[in-house]
Amino acid sequence: MEATGELAKPGNLSGVRHIILVLSGKGGVGKSTISTELALALRHEGKKVGILDVDLCGPSIPRMLQAQGRAVHQCDSGWVPVFVDQEQSISLMSVGFLLERPDEAVVWRGPKKSALIKQFVSDVAWGELDYLVVDTPPGTSDEHMAAVEALRPYRPLGALVVTTPQAVSVGDVRRELTFCRKTGLQVMGVVENMSGFACPHCAECTNIFSRGGGEELARLAGVPFLGSVPLDPELSRSLEEGRDFIQEFPKSPAFPALASIAREVLNATPALLS
Amino acid sequence: MGTWQHLFLCGGLLLRGGGRIPAPLGRSRSLVCRRQLSGADSENLKQRRTQIMSRGLPKQKPIEGVKQVIVVASGKGGVGKSTTAVNLALALSANDSSKAIGLLDVDVYGPSIPKMMNLKGNPELSQNNLMRPLFNYGIACMSMGFLVEETAPVVWRGLMVMSAIEKLLRQVDWGQLDYLVVDMPPGTGDVQLSVSQNIPISGAVIVSTPQDIALMDAHKGAEMFRKVHVPVLGLVQNMSVFQCPNCKHKTHIFGADGAKKLAQTLDLDVLGEIPLYPSIRETSDTGQPVVFSQPESDEAKAYLRIAMEVVRRLPPPPE
């Protein structure tokens, strides 16, 4: 099922110009949050974006984009990804849409997970996209290997690595960077999430999860540091209520960080700048 | 298998006797089969089927020397499973110093226990080729982190992970332990299945933050334990609230009371709440867990209370 490139088989990723994998060795650092926000930010710059959620055990993205319970339809070229907005500029595929109940647990062993991820890559009719953001689960396991193997024949992949500043996270993310090197994934940069909390009352900034770990890690690993995103309670609240964060909270302390990360991503893909 | 063949033969004979039947063969055959099955036959069949289906599954065998196993899990990553597991183990020891406690880290992809317990190095082997756990603060610890380099990723497929878990469970010289606290990885996959199918688990503690996204995954985690028949002792709500050190204003960064609502939905108890204390993170990062380094603090007291609640809900220890 490798794409030879000659005959553009419909339903595969031939129409996708850039694929970004959002990775982290550590759980709970905000991969899904950053993936969603990055997709929204790229859309605001006028790009057509798709999100592929390969976190089969904990598919968070349908909830964040208020798309739970939507049905996945079939077309001639395969499965149709769910469009989460009216203008159809963001499409999403997640195992969350295939479950009967939203709280149903996916308790599968590796081979079944790998098979489903291969199907997500080859059998979903993504169509013409500028960017495909792939949200992964924590770790370096079956899902990651299946995703990298299935996506390898397509456009050059870039990996965005997310961490929180604390040492325990940085330790796990160092492993993830080694994984990227070993699998030949180009690391676009490191994003430090939950970097500082500004008290809404007195504006005193407390480094709940420490600080500087992400920048230090990027320096040691020789990869670009894309920015720090501070902890913003409004962010988690708006994501839970499925509101368009970038549109509604331009004054949030996290907004400048996210917008600048999106600009870095666009700068790193010069083929699109016309 | 023999029983089925017998039935099909019977069915075949009867059909031949009955002449050509235009109805779909399958249906008529199954109708005939049903008439053939007596009460005793169907019971035998069910037993046979269960026997055959479970042939490939591992047998549940208790770990030598370990009285009770407490699993700390969550569907979601980053909610504080390792932090809770470490401080729970220390709290169990602090509450009752006569108990021997062990801590097993089965998060093969992101083992945090070595860092949090300030332990490094390869485990020694005992006389019978078992790995000796590393000790600190009175707790016996074993983790994947002791077996791989700090920066080396563990890029393994499910099958290899299963055999590694088998080693971590069976080939460690735990000695005599009253409680073994097991720190699980995030998700609901190979590791969780391997652990629950291989050893009898006395109880599971589910950790979650109040955030909806985390609760969804915690719900899946709880359902997974139900599927594999592991009793869930209750929920711990972590990172519940943050108090600004400057103005003392309380902010619910990750939401409020979400875990309490989930506990109600799942008919579980909330074992305790742990606010976002920067000191918990600081002490974890430096390898001096808060229950050990600041035993009189509010943070430590929260964990001590949770340990008490866990012990209260465990079944009485065997023998």
Side-chain angles (χ1 to χ4, degrees):
Chain A
M1 275 230 71
E2 309 290 304
T4 50
E6 302 302 335
L7 293 164
K9 238 184 324 156
N12 68 3
L13 296 172
S14 58
V16 175
R17 292 206 194 86
H18 290 273
I19 305 178
I20 303 172
L21 259 83
V22 180
L23 300 168
S24 173
K26 188 94 180 75
V29 297
K31 288 176 292 308
S32 299
T33 310
I34 298 282
S35 304
T36 312
E37 294 307 327
L38 181 64
L40 289 172
L42 289 170
R43 187 195 77 153
H44 275 264
E45 303 279 336
K47 307 295 173 199
K48 261 194 102 178
V49 188
I51 308 178
L52 173 57
D53 181 7
V54 298
D55 189 344
L56 302 181
C57 300
S60 320
I61 308 215
R63 179 85 172 79
M64 288 182 176
L65 293 170
Q66 287 257 302
Q68 290 155 293
R70 300 270 289 273
V72 173
H73 300 288
Q74 283 254 352
C75 71
D76 285 336
S77 352
W79 292 346
V80 179
V82 173
F83 287 105
V84 299
D85 61 339
Q86 294 281 36
E87 305 90 37
Q88 299 207 334
S89 50
I90 299 198
S91 50
L92 167 64
M93 179 50 72
S94 161
V95 79
F97 298 132
L98 307 174
L99 301 173
E100 277 177 18
R101 289 183 345 262
D103 46 7
E104 195 180 310
V106 171
V107 191
W108 294 351
R109 288 198 183 272
K112 205 163 169 188
K113 288 189 198 171
S114 301
L116 183 61
I117 292 175
K118 283 203 187 73
Q119 262 198 297
F120 274 171
V121 169
S122 61
D123 290 349
V124 173
W126 291 104
E128 295 287 323
L129 288 178
D130 294 309
Y131 287 96
L132 178 65
V133 178
V134 183
D135 179 32
T136 57
T140 48
S141 60
D142 293 89
E143 289 97 324
H144 306 83
M145 288 187 266
V148 170
E149 272 173 40
L151 293 168
R152 199 186 286 284
Y154 301 101
R155 291 284 162 250
L157 307 185
L160 202 81
V161 177
V162 184
T163 183
T164 53
Q166 74 215 89
V168 176
S169 299
V170 168
D172 283 347
V173 178
R174 272 161 77 193
R175 295 174 202 265
E176 197 71 20
L177 287 171
T178 315
F179 169 78
C180 293
R181 210 172 34 240
K182 287 198 168 162
T183 49
L185 268 178
Q186 194 212 357
V187 179
M188 298 174 70
V190 171
V191 171
E192 183 179 277
N193 200 16
M194 305 201 204
S195 179
F197 172 66
C199 176
H201 220 224
C202 66
E204 155 109 356
C205 183
T206 317
N207 291 318
I208 304 185
F209 296 112
S210 177
R211 72 166 291 116
E215 208 166 340
E216 181 76 15
L217 174 67
R219 203 175 51 83
L220 278 173
V223 295
F225 179 62
L226 294 180
S228 327
V229 181
L231 252 180
D232 182 13
E234 279 305 313
L235 191 154
S236 53
R237 205 177 312 149
S238 80
L239 279 173
E240 299 199 344
E241 296 169 20
R243 301 202 294 268
D244 186 352
F245 177 69
I246 298 283
Q247 204 150 51
E248 289 209 355
F249 294 96
K251 295 194 199 71
S252 148
F255 174 68
L258 291 166
S260 111
I261 292 170
R263 272 197 296 277
E264 296 277 345
V265 168
L266 287 169
N267 288 341
T269 52
L272 280 185
L273 296 175
S274 50
Chain B
M1 290 299 174
T3 333
W4 272 119
Q5 281 168 355
H6 175 68
L7 284 165
F8 273 128
L9 273 170
C10 280
L13 276 168
L14 277 165
L15 273 175
R16 247 182 278 139
R20 223 139 276 240
I21 303 169
L25 262 175
R27 210 194 313 151
S28 45
R29 190 176 293 155
S30 66
L31 273 174
V32 166
C33 281
R34 226 174 282 145
R35 251 179 276 140
Q36 293 295 311
L37 279 173
S38 66
D41 266 347
S42 75
E43 264 315 302
N44 281 343
L45 186 61
K46 264 195 214 131
Q47 275 183 9
R48 240 0 255 291
R49 195 188 292 159
T50 326
Q51 225 177 5
I52 292 166
M53 299 255 296
S54 65
R55 226 184 265 160
L57 293 175
K59 298 276 175 295
Q60 230 187 36
K61 204 174 69 148
I63 304 178
E64 276 232 27
V66 173
K67 288 208 185 118
Q68 293 189 300
V69 176
I70 305 167
V71 146
V72 178
S74 167
K76 187 95 180 77
V79 296
K81 289 177 291 308
S82 300
T83 314
T84 305
V86 165
N87 284 298
L88 178 64
L90 287 166
L92 286 168
S93 169
N95 275 348
D96 188 348
S97 50
S98 67
K99 302 280 188 203
I101 319 279
L103 183 56
L104 174 60
D105 178 12
V106 294
D107 188 347
V108 300
Y109 301 113
S112 312
I113 303 282
K115 183 145 200 70
M116 290 187 178
M117 291 290 281
N118 202 15
L119 284 170
K120 243 190 233 184
N122 300 105
E124 293 174 357
L125 288 178
S126 73
Q127 297 261 356
N128 3 8
N129 246 355
L130 297 175
M131 290 189 280
R132 283 224 181 87
L134 277 69
F135 273 83
N136 203 357
Y137 312 127
I139 312 278
C141 305
M142 182 46 68
S143 160
M144 197 64 201
F146 300 141
L147 307 174
V148 296
E149 271 179 42
E150 262 189 57
T151 50
V154 172
V155 190
W156 290 356
R157 291 195 187 274
L159 286 176
M160 272 199 78
V161 172
M162 271 173 72
S163 74
I165 302 283
E166 183 72 26
K167 282 202 178 53
L168 288 174
L169 286 174
R170 301 278 174 219
Q171 289 178 10
V172 177
D173 185 14
W174 291 109
Q176 295 296 321
L177 288 181
D178 293 285
Y179 301 117
L180 179 63
V181 179
V182 180
D183 177 25
M184 297 281 235
T188 51
D190 284 280
V191 175
Q192 286 81 358
L193 281 172
S194 296
V195 173
S196 25
Q197 286 169 341
N198 272 305
I199 53 169
I201 299 178
S202 316
V205 174
I206 302 214
V207 182
S208 180
T209 60
Q211 210 180 357
D212 271 357
I213 298 283
L215 293 170
M216 265 169 59
D217 289 353
H219 191 143
K220 289 176 203 271
E223 195 184 305
M224 174 194 68
F225 283 125
R226 199 181 47 81
K227 275 188 186 176
V228 293
H229 306 298
V230 169
V232 179
L233 303 173
L235 260 65
V236 169
Q237 177 158 276
N238 202 16
M239 308 199 209
S240 54
V241 68
F242 174 68
Q243 188 168 41
C244 176
N246 197 27
C247 66
K248 307 294 171 211
H249 174 83
K250 287 194 173 164
T251 317
H252 291 273
I253 303 187
F254 298 112
D257 289 342
K260 288 203 183 119
K261 292 195 209 111
L262 177 68
Q264 268 175 349
T265 319
L266 295 172
D267 197 22
L268 291 171
D269 297 324
V270 175
L271 300 172
E273 269 197 29
I274 305 181
L276 253 175
Y277 290 119
S279 58
I280 299 183
R281 184 263 309 157
E282 279 158 21
T283 51
S284 294
D285 273 356
T286 51
Q288 307 203 308
V290 76
V291 171
F292 166 78
S293 54
Q294 297 168 12
E296 298 302 315
S297 61
D298 289 331
E299 296 89 308
K301 293 209 180 105
Y303 284 116
L304 292 170
R305 273 195 298 270
I306 291 176
M308 250 173 30
E309 293 292 329
V310 165
V311 170
R312 235 166 35 95
R313 287 170 173 76
L314 280 171
E319 135 261 69

